[in-house]
Amino acid sequence: MSVEVRREGTVAFVTLSNPPVNAIGLEVRKGLSEALDWVNGQNGLSRVILSGSERAFAAGADAREFDADPVAPHLPDIVARIDACETPWVAAISGVALGGGCELALACRYRIASPSAKIGLPEVTLGVVPGAGGTQRLPRLVGLKAALDLVATGRPVSANRAEEIGLIHGQADDPVMLAQHLDLGTIALEVAISTLPKPTANSDAVEGARALAERKMPNQIAPKRAIDLIAASATMTLEDGMAQEREAFLALRRGDQAHALRHIFFAERGARAPDRIKGAEQPLDHVAVVGGGTMGAGIAYALLNAGLTVTLLETDAEGVTRANENVEKIVAASLKRRLISDADAQSHRAKFLATTDYGAAAKATLAIEAAFESMEVKKTIFGMLQTHLPANAILATNTSYLDVNEIAACVQDPSRVVGFHFFAPAHIMKLLEIVEGSQSSDAALATGFALAKRLRKIPVLSGVCDGFIGNRILARYREAADTVLLEGAAPWEVDEAMVEFGYAMGPYEAQDLSGLDIAHANRRRQDATRDPNRRYIPIADRMVELGKLGKKTGAGWYRYPGGAGKVEDPIVADLAIEEAHLAKVERREFTAEEIRERLLIAMINEAADILDEGIAASAADIDLVTVFGYGFPRWRGGLLAYADTLGASKILEKLKSFAQEDPLVWTPSPSVIKCAQEGSSFAQLFGKGT
Ligand code: 3HC
């Protein structure tokens, strides 16, 4: 039974029971409908208490149903019946009350939440607007401004904040108990939200919300539509507002953006340890981090934030000072932004030690080496870790490119070694690539997944190859960008084309931020193994020779006069013309669409090769990597979800036409050919578990 009902004296209890999070699917809607019939058939009831579980009052409508047509009974009708019920309903909220869950609570006459509850209308993050009265009842209850804050961002609020804005009436550790003993007169003072007057119009708040949505969620339709609906609540009857809301909800849920956002939502939930390694993890309490630079300090902070003890190992006193300063900088910034409390900061400091003494990490069950990207440096460190840490401690290397198998070969038991590819800043970026060496043990891999869970990161398993999943795709993206640069486009044209597609910034501005020297060092490492038949474009090397390393040197692909905003640099355009002349390439104009096509098809083809070689386990994993590590627009669902909207036949056709210019670079991946031949999508051919 998805909904349970019972009666004690004059109190009726309606309890949602659809684990794990009480998603409101058809069975729950039917159960609620039957519960309403039952309530209406009872005599002498003083109240109906609606509750869920400790974890969730209700997480909202069941998004797994959104691909199909809606089936009655519909949630807005249930909400309307609760709202109109003669016996007052009281929402007793523990855990989350999100989306349709929040809308059910808004149908109740009275709302009590536990102090740890989270309440909100996150529909826009799934590409839809609230569809059961959220945009109409909430502003009537809390006013336009507070409703816009909640709905347009999709961010839930705490119980305290909910009480402050009047969304709930009060808090209790046991909301059901309080609801049961609440004085009937207190409930009777409240009226149904549907009978409240329209909220006062507030054009400043509406314009502010529009500007924020444009900045934070550009290109996304749902937030703008939600803002319009909330604004309309000030002028429309509840009935008309609800009708418009329902129409918008149903239209959006069928749309591409909602489809893509649902895909990435479920891909994120599905990012977990494969069954074959479940339960093999090492206990995590004390972790050693080697190297206190930007990456090491970010990792150390993330570990501290997850309650772990951290020993940070450095080579000399100077390194120790730098490590302490770097970690302290993050602690201070987090304090300033109120992300942590003073007590958290004290606890972090107490659990952190930077030292040159490897012996201080003798009890660590995991070490994460985050030193300079040099095979020699890493091998030396692994030798030291092997000497000082327990024999069964997992040894992880944080590397973006280096061969995990070669690093593993330098310790006696290579099964202890695994690769972790964190993304900078490591305490903020959500992606963690876990790199499986040819001998990595189940314990090593499972510890990586357990760590990701502890750090609230999204783990994606990758096989060993140059650049793993993400940087390998990035290399092709940059190569395709450099090719159009050589052949006629300017860096800012390339950037603009990709921003129009939905990236926050294009590949050249992104390089200016990360620094051109890093990719340069990597290219030098690859010199020995690069295919001599593949065209090499040296424009970025010329930039490094000229000292144009990016924002940090005041100039890269753009100039940054006075450290301020970017300015186009004609010298860079001249460099491309010069190199084209030397390479005897005839330059031509590229439209934004042509630029986009080349960069995207290049990445898709590489991703298809990565699947074909078994480096990534599924198309969804590639989507997660591109969205959470490389800024691919989330509302497009990730690289291969986007590819599936194009279709493999079209991709193949494009590859064949580009191959006429350069057959080596544009060789179609066997996976693209297979998808095209079978008429299947990447998601179908490379679903999880294949
Ligand atoms: N629909 C379907 N399944 C859902 C779901 C939803 N709304 N919310 C969560 N789930 C599933 C997850 O996929 C996962 O399934 P799995 O175990 O098979 O992988 C399971 O519930 C547990 O979820 P999490 O792993 O995410 O558990 P957490 O404890 O980390 O987080 C949560 C719980 C905060 C509820 C989080 O899942 C969440 O944010 N869910 C989405 C909430 C949301 O967006 N609601 C609005 C839905 S649209 C709507 O309500 C329309 C209405 O206005 C008409």
Side-chain angles (χ1 to χ4, degrees), residues 402-475:
L402 297 183
D403 184 346
V404 173
N405 291 329
E406 192 179 337
I407 298 171
C410 82
V411 295
Q412 274 164 9
D413 175 7
S415 76
R416 299 167 67 185
V417 177
V418 61
F420 288 171
H421 180 204
F422 283 90
F423 289 73
H427 58 294
I428 293 174
M429 294 287 284
K430 285 191 82 181
L431 182 66
L432 177 66
E433 280 182 315
I434 298 175
V435 184
E436 178 170 11
S438 57
Q439 300 194 57
S440 298
S441 65
D442 290 354
L445 296 174
T447 304
F449 278 93
L451 180 76
K453 191 166 185 191
R454 192 88 188 251
L455 303 185
R456 295 170 167 270
K457 292 200 184 292
I458 298 165
V460 172
L461 193 61
S462 169
V464 173
C465 66
D466 202 310
F468 316 124
I469 299 172
N471 278 342
R472 187 168 149 181
I473 294 172
L474 178 69

Side-chain angles (χ1 to χ4, degrees), residues 271-273 281-287 299-310 347-348 351 365-366 368 420 422 426-427 429-430 432 434 445-459:
R272 50 175 75 124
E281 65 269 16
Q282 284 276 21
L284 286 170
D285 174 38
H286 183 169
V287 180
I299 295 172
Y301 178 82
L303 295 166
L304 292 167
N305 235 0
L308 296 158
T309 298
V310 178
S347 153
H348 290 4
K351 287 184 162 187
T365 49
L366 168 69
I368 306 173
F420 288 171
F422 283 90
H427 58 294
M429 294 287 284
K430 285 191 82 181
L432 177 66
I434 298 175
L445 296 174
T447 304
F449 278 93
L451 180 76
K453 191 166 185 191
R454 192 88 188 251
L455 303 185
R456 295 170 167 270
K457 292 200 184 292
I458 298 165

Side-chain angles (χ1 to χ4, degrees), residues 97-98 118-122 150 153-158:
L98 300 175
K118 291 262 179 280
I119 306 169
L121 291 159
L150 248 97
T153 63
R155 226 175 292 127
V157 291
S158 64

Side-chain angles (χ1 to χ4, degrees), residues 3-14:
V3 177
E4 286 157 12
V5 293
R6 71 189 163 87
R7 178 175 180 157
E8 271 179 40
T10 63
V11 179
F13 295 84
V14 175

Side-chain angles (χ1 to χ4, degrees), residues 20 131 344 392 497 593 609 617 619 660:
D344 293 332
N392 62 350
E593 190 49 38
D609 273 342
Q660 288 170 8

Side-chain angles (χ1 to χ4, degrees), residues 19-24 55-56 58-66 75-76 96 98-103 118 120-126 128-134 154 156 245-246 249 253 265-266 268-272 456:
V21 292
N22 283 327
I24 308 167
R55 182 174 175 187
D62 188 336
R64 280 170 301 211
E65 292 182 352
F66 286 7
L75 193 57
V96 291
L98 300 175
C102 178
E103 289 168 311
K118 291 262 179 280
L121 291 159
E123 283 87 340
V124 296
T125 63
L126 288 177
V128 292
V129 293
E245 181 197 78
R246 188 71 184 160
F249 169 75
R253 94 175 206 175
F265 171 82
F266 285 115
E268 197 179 333
R269 264 76 207 163
R272 50 175 75 124
R456 295 170 167 270

